[in-house]
Amino acid sequence: GAVVSQHPSWVICKSGTSVKIECRSLDFQATTMFWYRQFPKQSLMLMATSNEGSKATYEQGVEKDKFLINHASLTLSTLTVTSAHPEDSSFYICSAAYTNEKLFFGSGTQLSVL
Amino acid sequence: DQQVKQNSPSLSVQEGRISILNCDYTNSMFDYFLWYKKYPAEGPTFLISISSIKDKNEDGRFTVFLNKSAKHLSLHIVPSQPGDSAVYFCAASVSGTYKYIFGTGTRLKVLA
């Protein structure tokens, strides 16, 4: 299968700081990437759709100014959690759209905001 | 409004037996379905997919069945192995959008 790399895998930060998470498709070009968030023992909740060269599309209830998404190339999308607060602590996962309707996922980033 | 539901949060199965994981959806526009396996603090791993033009897809030990009229799909794992122990998610989308809605997951435990 296709490889999607996500890092960092784990980050701890102070409240009020910003954190950037990178998602790269290593062996294919992904015009569309997706960002999900997962709380413990819950499902993956789609946050936003990241389109190369255009603005991201955010799901209802997701603050676009809090979660900045940049998809500057066909292999890289970034999610920046701005002015992070403890309630932003979560597991964030990216995925990239591959052929034949499939999504391939990164390994996820555990964010802990103190 | 949970469009994709996995009503069994957990399932325990003896090694060698069949594991059956179920998934129901409400949106009749969904026409493509995926199953993923996930370990804690890792990203999901793709297992198998099915399009609504089929009612069955098989890949090794994994078979997915789709009942469109019931809006129900199931994943069968035969024979189950201890390494299959993980959380399994089903996901549904409208083909071409890649915008998948995930179920809440079922934790499978295969007992040796």
Side-chain angles (χ1 to χ4, degrees), chain A residues 32 34 36 38 41-46 49 57 59 91 93 96-108 110, chain B residues 2 32 34 36 38-46 49 89 93-105 107:
Chain A
T32 305
F34 300 88
Y36 293 81
Q38 185 186 26
K41 297 185 179 180
Q42 293 190 24
S43 183
L44 283 74
M45 301 300 295
L46 179 63
T49 302
T57 305
E59 295 301 303
F91 190 63
I93 310 175
Y98 193 56
T99 57
N100 296 328
E101 306 292 336
K102 292 183 179 56
L103 287 181
F104 285 93
F105 285 82
S107 53
Q110 182 65 52
Chain B
Q2 189 69 31
Y32 208 88
L34 307 177
Y36 285 89
K38 187 179 182 301
Y39 296 109
E42 292 185 13
T45 303
F46 169 77
S49 63
F89 290 95
S93 80
V94 175
S95 60
T97 68
Y98 288 90
K99 195 170 169 179
Y100 283 90
I101 304 299
F102 281 77
T104 48
R107 182 176 301 277

Side-chain angles (χ1 to χ4, degrees), chain B residues 19-92:
Chain B
S19 295
I20 300 176
L21 298 104
N22 294 303
C23 178
D24 297 291
Y25 61 97
T26 57
N27 189 338
S28 58
M29 297 295 291
F30 290 147
D31 58 359
Y32 208 88
F33 306 89
L34 307 177
W35 280 94
Y36 285 89
K37 175 180 177 180
K38 187 179 182 301
Y39 296 109
E42 292 185 13
T45 303
F46 169 77
L47 283 175
I48 194 168
S49 63
I50 190 165
S51 159
S52 61
I53 62 173
K54 292 185 174 182
D55 53 20
K56 177 182 174 181
N57 190 24
E58 200 170 344
D59 184 0
R61 296 186 299 115
F62 302 94
T63 303
V64 56
F65 294 92
L66 175 63
N67 182 333
K68 289 186 290 292
S69 59
K71 296 192 182 69
H72 175 85
L73 61 155
S74 60
L75 174 68
H76 293 211
I77 306 174
V78 181
S80 301
Q81 300 173 353
D84 295 329
S85 298
V87 178
Y88 289 77
F89 290 95
C90 64

